[in-house]
């Protein structure tokens, strides 16, 4: 099947469950901040990407006399925490703090790129272009500024020439992160999704986002076509850790999902792993970890089950960049080695959320191919010999200048769901889309 001849090279080497936040990590080098050299819990949390924890600690430092000489750096670090945590509210806070015009006692040239990227994600594209260009005046070879300008120009073109898709918010979005929808039945009247809303089994606060740990939820569509109130999966599916990102087999007998166990003092950032469970009556069996990589220290996320293959995203060695898309062939007693989907799909950056449409086309999200900003959703078409024929950015309004990912379709219909933290979202929200019938 798809890219089955791609080579997989094993070598030794080495995200928050909310992967879109992982993509918002600061663009600067640690060496540009002298305060980050100081040994304290705030800096330790920041370097470990525990931005919510770092923000709380930096806030307490701001009022203490002993840190008065570092107050401007601490202020900027707070802004970077807000930006990295993601979401429109946090990005707006970051915009206020990181504005170079308000930080003239700081090295404002270091802020141009961060500020431009923040404006970009807020869809303030003309202003973002201005600051990307200011960054280029300082360093004409700054690739991230060049890419930012290209992306902003592409986004403006897409917004001015939208497709016919209609996109609307899902009625059961909360004020917390709701994302990664998947269909739980073959007639598309059950929807599973991930949420960090209150009421999760895990009572801890995520040190990255500040939200509760994520759990899996389900909703059903009633006879009138309305979706019922979300219900969390019971234990042993949901646990005290993170559960996210489901994929259900066509007959509904098996479900795959991502799990990240509770951190302990010795392992601050445990890996994400993929589990599966079987349908049993009205419930599910005890989840079992999918064996993908022996002695795994890599993240395995975004599972999608298709034709006895498990597609997923991972930062395992042998890839082309950050997170690549891979698959394994599932066997009764043993699974195949992971197979990379190749350089026409994967880039030097990140690819997530694989999905096969019933017409055979393949969808995924990437921040490495030319897009409007953040993660964009792409479509691959194939010829009769199963070779890639075209790679298409789905454009506006499916994509936005923010992060757009996790698209799913109803069978042959041009309608379904996706996830996005675009302007107008409460946090990361689920959106319904459809292509009107002429």
């Amino acid at each position: 099947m798809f890219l089955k001849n791609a080579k997989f090279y094993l070598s030794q080497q080495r995200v928050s469950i909310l992967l879109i936040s992982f993509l918002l990590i600061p663009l600067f080098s640690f060496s540009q901040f002298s305060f980050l050299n100081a040994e304290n819990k705030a800096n330790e949390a920041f370097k470990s990407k525990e931005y919510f924890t770092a923000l709380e600690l930096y806030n307490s430092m701001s009022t203490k006399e002993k840190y008065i000489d570092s107050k401007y750096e601490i202020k900027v670090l707070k802004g970077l925490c807000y930006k990295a945590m993601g979401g429109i509210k946090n990005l707006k806070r970051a915009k206020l703090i990181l504005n170079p015009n308000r930080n003239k006692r700081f090295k404002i040239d270091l802020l141009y790129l961060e500020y431009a990227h923040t404006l970009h994600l807020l869809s303030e594209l003309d202003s973002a272009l201005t600051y990307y260009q200011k960054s280029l005046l300082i360093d004409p070879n700054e690739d991230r500024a060049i890419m930012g300008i290209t992306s902003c120009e592409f986004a403006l073109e897409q917004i001015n020439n939208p497709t016919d898709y209609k996109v609307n918010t899902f009625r059961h979005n909360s004020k917390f992160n709701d994302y990664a929808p998947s269909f739980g039945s073959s007639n598309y009247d059950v929807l599973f999704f991930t949420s960090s809303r209150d009421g999760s089994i895990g009572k801890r606060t995520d040190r990255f986002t500040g939200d509760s740990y994520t759990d899996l939820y389900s909703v059903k569509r009633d006879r009138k076509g309305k979706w019922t109130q979300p219900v969390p999966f019971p234990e042993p599916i949901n646990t005290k850790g993170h559960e996210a990102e489901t994929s259900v087999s066509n007959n509904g007998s098996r479900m795959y999902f991502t799990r990240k166990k509770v951190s302990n003092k010795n392992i601050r950032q445990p890996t994400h792993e993929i589990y599966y469970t079987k349908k049993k009556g009205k419930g599910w069996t005890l989840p079992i970890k999918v064996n993908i990589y022996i002695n795994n220290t890599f993240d395995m996320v975004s599972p999608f089950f298709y034709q006895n293959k498990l597609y997923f995203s991972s930062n395992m060695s042998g890839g082309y960049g950050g997170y690549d898309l891979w698959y394994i062939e599932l066997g009764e007693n043993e699974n195949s080695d992971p197979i990379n989907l190749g350089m026409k799909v994967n880039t030097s950056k990140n690819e997530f959320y694989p999905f096969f449409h019933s017409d055979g086309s393949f969808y995924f999200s990437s921040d490495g191919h030319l897009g409007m900003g953040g993660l964009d959703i792409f479509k691959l078409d194939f010829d009769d010999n199963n070779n890639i024929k075209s790679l298409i950015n789905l454009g506006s309004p499916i994509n936005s200048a923010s992060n757009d990912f996790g698209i799913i379709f109803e069978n042959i219909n041009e309608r379904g769901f996706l996830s996005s933290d675009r302007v107008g979202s409460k946090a990361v929200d689920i959106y319904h889309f459809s292509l009107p019938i002429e």
Side-chain angles (χ1 to χ4, degrees):
M1 185 50 192
F2 180 35
L3 299 180
K4 65 167 60 176
N5 295 320
K7 293 183 179 180
F8 172 64
Y9 299 96
L10 280 173
S11 64
Q12 291 293 325
Q13 192 185 339
R14 104 145 195 140
V15 155
S16 162
I17 197 75
L18 185 59
L19 289 167
I20 61 102
S21 292
F22 167 83
L23 299 171
L24 299 179
I25 58 177
L27 303 175
F28 70 92
S29 167
F30 284 167
S31 63
Q32 294 169 322
F33 281 72
S34 58
F35 181 72
L36 278 176
N37 294 323
E39 293 185 6
N40 56 61
K41 290 183 178 180
N43 288 342
E44 182 182 353
F46 187 91
K47 293 175 182 178
S48 298
K49 302 184 181 71
E50 296 171 1
Y51 297 114
F52 177 75
T53 299
L55 179 62
E56 289 190 320
L57 294 170
Y58 286 138
N59 279 331
S60 66
M61 286 179 173
S62 299
T63 61
K64 295 179 179 180
E65 186 69 24
K66 64 183 291 188
Y67 298 111
I68 191 70
D69 292 337
S70 302
K71 67 178 183 180
Y72 296 112
E73 284 198 23
I74 291 174
K75 175 188 173 184
V76 172
L77 288 168
K78 286 165 59 178
L80 293 173
C81 286
Y82 279 122
K83 177 175 178 282
M85 287 162 61
I88 297 303
K89 290 182 179 179
N90 287 329
L91 287 173
K92 287 182 176 179
R93 294 186 182 107
K95 174 188 170 182
L96 290 174
I97 295 173
L98 298 177
N99 187 334
N101 296 322
R102 296 188 176 191
N103 290 280
K104 294 185 177 180
R105 295 193 181 186
F106 188 74
K107 306 169 187 176
I108 61 172
D109 57 307
L110 299 180
L111 293 181
Y112 284 147
L113 192 59
E114 292 287 353
Y115 189 59
H117 191 218
T118 303
L119 295 171
H120 191 163
L121 293 167
L122 287 169
S123 203
E124 298 179 24
L125 299 174
D126 290 328
S127 296
L129 279 169
T130 297
Y131 282 93
Y132 280 132
Q133 289 160 353
K134 286 186 177 184
S135 179
L136 275 185
L137 289 175
I138 297 168
D139 182 1
N141 297 315
E142 176 52 74
D143 288 340
R144 292 166 298 183
I146 296 170
M147 292 171 61
I149 290 171
T150 303
S151 179
C152 278
E153 292 174 343
F154 179 75
L156 287 167
E157 178 185 352
Q158 297 301 310
I159 291 170
N160 291 329
N161 299 279
T163 65
D164 293 330
Y165 282 103
K166 303 298 180 185
V167 178
N168 300 288
T169 57
F170 183 53
R171 63 175 296 195
H172 289 307
N173 287 320
S174 67
K175 65 179 181 180
F176 300 98
N177 293 311
D178 303 291
Y179 64 103
S182 71
F183 291 113
S185 66
S186 58
N187 57 2
Y188 309 105
D189 63 355
V190 176
L191 192 72
F192 299 157
F193 67 95
T194 305
S195 181
S196 61
R197 65 185 61 198
D198 290 339
S200 64
I201 289 179
K203 302 303 180 184
R204 297 190 181 192
T205 298
D206 186 275
R207 293 181 291 195
F208 191 106
T209 65
D211 290 347
S212 298
Y213 281 20
T214 56
D215 272 350
L216 300 177
Y217 285 77
S218 67
V219 291
K220 294 183 179 180
R221 186 157 40 195
D222 63 23
R223 294 179 180 178
K224 296 181 180 179
K226 293 185 178 181
W227 293 99
T228 59
Q229 287 296 318
V231 177
F233 276 72
E235 295 184 274
I237 304 301
N238 285 328
T239 66
K240 293 180 180 180
H242 283 288
E243 280 76 35
E245 308 167 336
T246 60
S247 177
V248 180
S249 60
N250 287 337
N251 61 10
S253 64
R254 180 175 289 211
M255 178 175 71
Y256 293 84
F257 64 94
T258 302
R259 173 174 287 171
K260 176 184 176 184
K261 294 182 179 180
V262 177
S263 302
N264 61 47
K265 293 181 179 179
N266 297 320
I267 305 176
R268 298 183 67 84
Q269 294 178 316
T271 56
H272 304 76
E273 298 171 309
I274 296 173
Y275 286 72
Y276 75 90
T277 177
K278 295 181 179 179
K279 188 71 175 175
K280 184 178 182 181
K282 293 184 178 181
W284 299 88
T285 60
L286 183 69
I288 299 173
K289 186 174 73 173
V290 179
N291 292 319
I292 297 176
Y293 204 102
I294 299 173
N295 298 323
N296 179 47
T297 58
F298 305 103
D299 284 326
M300 309 288 175
V301 296
S302 303
F304 183 75
F305 177 79
Y306 182 73
Q307 293 186 350
N308 207 43
K309 296 181 179 67
L310 182 66
Y311 293 80
F312 60 95
S313 177
S314 176
N315 60 347
M316 70 170 69
S317 57
Y320 293 90
Y323 284 75
D324 277 13
L325 293 179
W326 305 74
Y327 75 86
I328 58 172
E329 301 214 26
L330 298 170
E332 287 189 17
N333 301 314
E334 187 174 323
N335 301 324
S336 73
D337 287 336
I339 300 171
N340 190 289
L341 267 61
M343 63 186 302
K344 290 185 178 180
V345 175
N346 294 312
T347 67
S348 60
K349 291 193 174 181
N350 305 284
E351 282 69 43
F352 299 114
Y353 293 97
F355 177 85
F356 273 98
H357 195 292
S358 60
D359 66 6
S361 53
F362 180 73
Y363 293 80
F364 65 99
S365 295
S366 172
D367 69 339
H369 297 283
L370 176 60
M372 296 175 64
L375 286 170
D376 273 26
I377 299 171
F378 294 85
K379 175 185 177 182
L380 282 179
D381 284 324
F382 304 92
D383 61 22
D384 293 338
N385 296 318
N386 202 37
N387 297 313
I388 294 175
K389 183 171 62 175
S390 62
L391 172 67
I392 302 168
N393 183 301
L394 294 192
S396 176
I398 295 294
N399 288 318
S400 69
S402 301
N403 293 289
D404 309 283
F405 58 98
I407 196 168
I408 60 172
F409 288 85
E410 289 185 18
N411 200 5
I412 61 173
N413 296 314
E414 286 297 310
R415 66 186 184 197
F417 295 89
L418 58 88
S419 309
S420 179
D421 63 347
R422 64 188 61 190
V423 173
S425 303
K426 298 175 184 177
V428 183
D429 282 355
I430 296 170
Y431 287 80
H432 178 264
F433 68 88
S434 61
L435 188 63
I437 299 176
E438 297 181 353

